[in-house]
C-alpha cells in the first residue's frame, strides 16, 4: 500500500463514515470507495463491512489500520529527520492550538521557546479542540494543544489544569443562581462524530448544574465569544461560568470556583498530544522546553 492508501484507511476508521472521511480528505466518496476496493483486491482480504449507513472494520481491517498508523508515523519522523540533516535547512514544528489557550497563554510560551531555539521554525494552527485533534490525526500538525477529554490514542501529557469558576460583577449567593440571569457562552458547532468521545466545557458546567439544582438556569443572553461574555458580565448583564484560563490579572470579577458535592474542585485539563517521535525531533525540543 502507498501513503495515500494508508491515510485513507486511517481517516475512514476515525470518521466511521465514508462520506465524512471523503470530505476530510477532499476526495469524492466513489473515488474513496474504489480505492478501498483496490486495496482489498490487492491484498485479497475484506477490510470493511457495511450495515446500512454504518461501516465496520473486519479483524484484518483493524490490523491494517493499526499498521498504517505506525507506518504514517514512521514516514513523518523520517521526513523531519531528513529535513534536520540538511545543514542549510531549519528545523520545523507545526503546532495545533485550541482557541482559548492560544488567546490567553500561548504568546509568552512561543516567545521563550523561540529565544531558546531560534533555529526552529514554528507554525501555528488555531481552532476548536475537535478541529485541532483532527489536524493531529491527519498528521497536518506535529503536536496538538487541546482542552478537556478526547479519544486520542497516541502520546499525551497534561500541560496545565485550572478550575472552572462563576464570575460576577457583584458578590452573589450561589444558592440563588437559578433566579439570576446567566450570560451563557455557546461553543462553536462541530460534528457529532467529533464530539462523540469528548467532554466539552458545556458538559462539565451542565453536569455541575444538574447536580446542584432541580431547575434550568435563567439564561438571559447567549454569546459565542468568551471575551464578549466577560464584557457583558462587567456591564451587569448577569453572571457567567468560564474556565480560569480565560481570566486575566486585571479582570475585576467576584469568583466562585465550582466543586462537586464532595467538595472536590471541578478541573479543566489542557493536554499536549503527539505521536511517537524521534529523539532528535523538534517536538522533543518543545516537550523538553515545557518540562513535561
Amino acid at each position: 500500500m502507498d501513503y495515500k492508501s494508508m491515510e485513507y484507511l486511517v481517516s475512514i476508521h476515525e470518521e466511521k463514515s465514508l462520506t465524512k472521511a471523503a470530505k476530510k480528505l477532499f476526495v469524492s466518496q466513489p473515488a474513496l470507495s474504489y480505492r478501498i476496493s483496490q486495496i482489498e483486491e490487492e491484498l485479497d482480504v475484506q477490510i470493511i463491512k457495511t450495515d446500512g449507513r454504518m461501516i465496520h472494520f473486519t479483524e484484518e481491517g483493524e490490523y491494517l489500520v493499526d499498521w498504517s498508523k505506525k507506518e504514517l508515523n514512521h514516514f513523518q519522523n523520517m521526513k523531519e529527520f531528513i529535513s534536520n540533516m540538511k545543514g542549510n535547512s531549519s528545523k520545523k514544528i507545526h503546532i495545533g492550538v485550541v482557541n482559548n489557550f492560544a488567546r490567553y497563554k500561548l504568546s509568552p510560551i512561543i516567545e521563550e521557546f523561540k529565544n531558546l531555539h531560534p533555529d526552529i521554525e514554528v507554525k501555528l494552527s488555531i481552532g476548536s479542540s475537535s478541529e485541532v485533534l483532527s489536524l493531529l490525526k491527519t498528521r497536518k500538525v506535529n503536536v496538538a494543544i487541546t482542552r478537556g477529554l478526547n479519544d486520542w490514542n497516541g502520546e499525551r501529557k497534561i500541560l496545565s489544569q485550572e478550575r472552572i469558576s462563576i464570575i460576577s460583577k457583584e458578590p452573589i449567593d450561589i444558592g440563588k443562581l437559578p433566579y439570576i440571569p446567566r450570560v451563557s457562552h455557546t461553543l462553536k458547532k462541530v460534528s457529532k462524530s467529533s464530539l462523540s468521545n469528548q467532554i466539552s466545557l458545556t458538559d462539565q458546567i451542565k453536569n455541575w448544574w444538574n447536580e446542584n439544582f432541580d431547575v434550568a438556569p435563567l439564561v438571559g443572553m447567549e454569546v459565542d465569544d468568551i471575551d464578549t461574555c466577560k464584557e457583558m458580565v462587567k456591564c451587569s448583564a448577569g453572571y457567567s461560568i468560564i474556565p480560569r484560563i480565560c481570566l486575566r490579572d486585571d479582570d475585576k470579577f467576584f469568583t466562585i470556583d465550582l466543586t462537586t458535592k464532595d467538595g472536590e474542585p471541578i478541573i479543566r485539563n489542557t493536554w499536549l498530544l503527539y505521536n511517537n517521535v524521534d529523539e532528535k525531533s523538534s517536538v522533543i525540543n518543545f516537550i523538553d522546553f515545557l518540562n513535561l
Side-chain angles (χ1 to χ4, degrees):
M1 289 195 302
D2 59 14
Y3 181 91
K4 278 293 182 185
S5 297
M6 291 186 285
E7 190 176 41
Y8 286 0
L9 277 178
V10 172
S11 292
I12 295 170
H13 190 267
E14 289 172 347
E15 294 298 322
K16 309 299 182 189
S17 163
L18 287 169
T19 302
K20 292 175 182 176
K23 187 178 295 185
K24 178 190 286 188
L25 295 164
F26 300 103
V27 298
S28 67
Q29 183 177 332
L32 183 58
S33 298
Y34 177 69
R35 185 62 191 123
I36 296 303
S37 66
Q38 283 185 314
I39 299 172
E40 291 179 326
E41 183 177 346
E42 177 186 351
L43 300 177
D44 190 25
V45 66
Q46 185 176 12
I47 297 173
I48 295 173
K49 292 181 179 180
T50 58
D51 179 13
R53 293 186 177 182
M54 301 293 293
I55 63 171
H56 306 279
F57 277 75
T58 63
E59 183 178 352
E60 294 84 356
E62 291 285 353
Y63 171 81
L64 284 173
V65 169
D66 289 340
W67 180 84
S68 295
K69 287 179 179 179
K70 293 175 183 176
E71 290 302 310
L72 288 170
N73 189 43
H74 291 328
F75 183 74
Q76 288 299 115
N77 287 342
M78 178 272 292
K79 284 175 61 179
E80 184 172 353
F81 185 81
I82 293 297
S83 176
N84 292 341
M85 287 177 66
K86 299 177 182 178
N88 59 350
S89 177
S90 64
K91 297 181 180 180
K92 298 179 181 180
I93 182 171
H94 190 172
I95 308 171
V97 189
V98 68
N99 293 308
N100 283 343
F101 193 88
R103 179 178 298 176
Y104 298 104
K105 298 292 183 182
L106 186 63
S107 294
I109 292 175
I110 296 301
E111 181 181 12
E112 187 176 351
F113 178 72
K114 286 292 293 178
N115 287 337
L116 290 173
H117 299 280
D119 59 322
I120 297 180
E121 178 185 338
V122 177
K123 181 178 180 181
L124 301 174
S125 291
I126 313 300
S128 67
S129 284
S130 59
E131 289 168 339
V132 169
L133 185 60
S134 178
L135 290 175
L136 181 63
K137 287 181 175 180
T138 54
R139 292 162 183 80
K140 292 182 173 65
V141 297
N142 306 113
V143 61
I145 296 175
T146 68
R147 306 268 291 158
L149 295 178
N150 54 66
D151 61 355
W152 175 245
N153 294 320
E155 301 293 328
R156 68 168 65 223
K157 295 180 183 292
I158 291 181
L159 184 56
S160 65
Q161 294 181 306
E162 83 277 342
R163 303 181 72 163
I164 301 172
S165 302
I166 300 166
I167 63 169
S168 59
K169 185 177 180 180
E170 303 292 340
I172 57 176
D173 180 348
I174 195 170
K176 296 181 179 179
L177 279 188
Y179 313 105
I180 303 173
R182 180 198 289 186
V183 181
S184 180
H185 171 243
T186 56
L187 296 175
K188 176 183 176 182
K189 290 185 178 180
V190 294
S191 67
K192 290 183 179 179
S193 64
S194 298
L195 290 174
S196 60
N197 291 300
Q198 298 187 49
I199 296 180
S200 68
L201 173 63
T202 301
D203 293 329
Q204 287 184 281
I205 294 172
K206 183 178 179 180
N207 291 341
W208 172 82
W209 184 274
N210 291 337
E211 189 180 52
N212 288 274
F213 304 105
D214 296 326
V215 295
L218 179 62
V219 177
M221 182 183 300
E222 287 190 2
V223 298
D224 61 2
D225 177 81
I226 283 188
D227 280 342
T228 303
C229 180
K230 289 163 58 179
E231 288 302 314
M232 293 300 101
V233 173
K234 289 178 182 177
C235 294
S236 301
Y239 74 94
S240 190
I241 304 177
I242 65 173
R244 277 193 172 269
I245 193 175
C246 302
L247 293 177
R248 303 184 189 276
D249 293 339
D250 58 350
D251 282 331
K252 294 180 172 58
F253 293 114
F254 289 91
T255 62
I256 302 174
D257 293 331
L258 301 191
T259 61
T260 65
K261 283 286 190 181
D262 298 327
E264 294 296 321
I266 295 178
I267 299 296
R268 188 98 175 129
N269 291 331
T270 299
W271 294 94
L272 184 73
L273 311 177
Y274 58 98
N275 285 296
N276 289 322
V277 290
D278 184 87
E279 62 180 10
K280 295 183 179 180
S281 167
S282 300
V283 175
I284 295 298
N285 294 132
F286 189 63
I287 294 170
D288 289 344
F289 162 74
L290 294 171
N291 293 318
L292 298 178

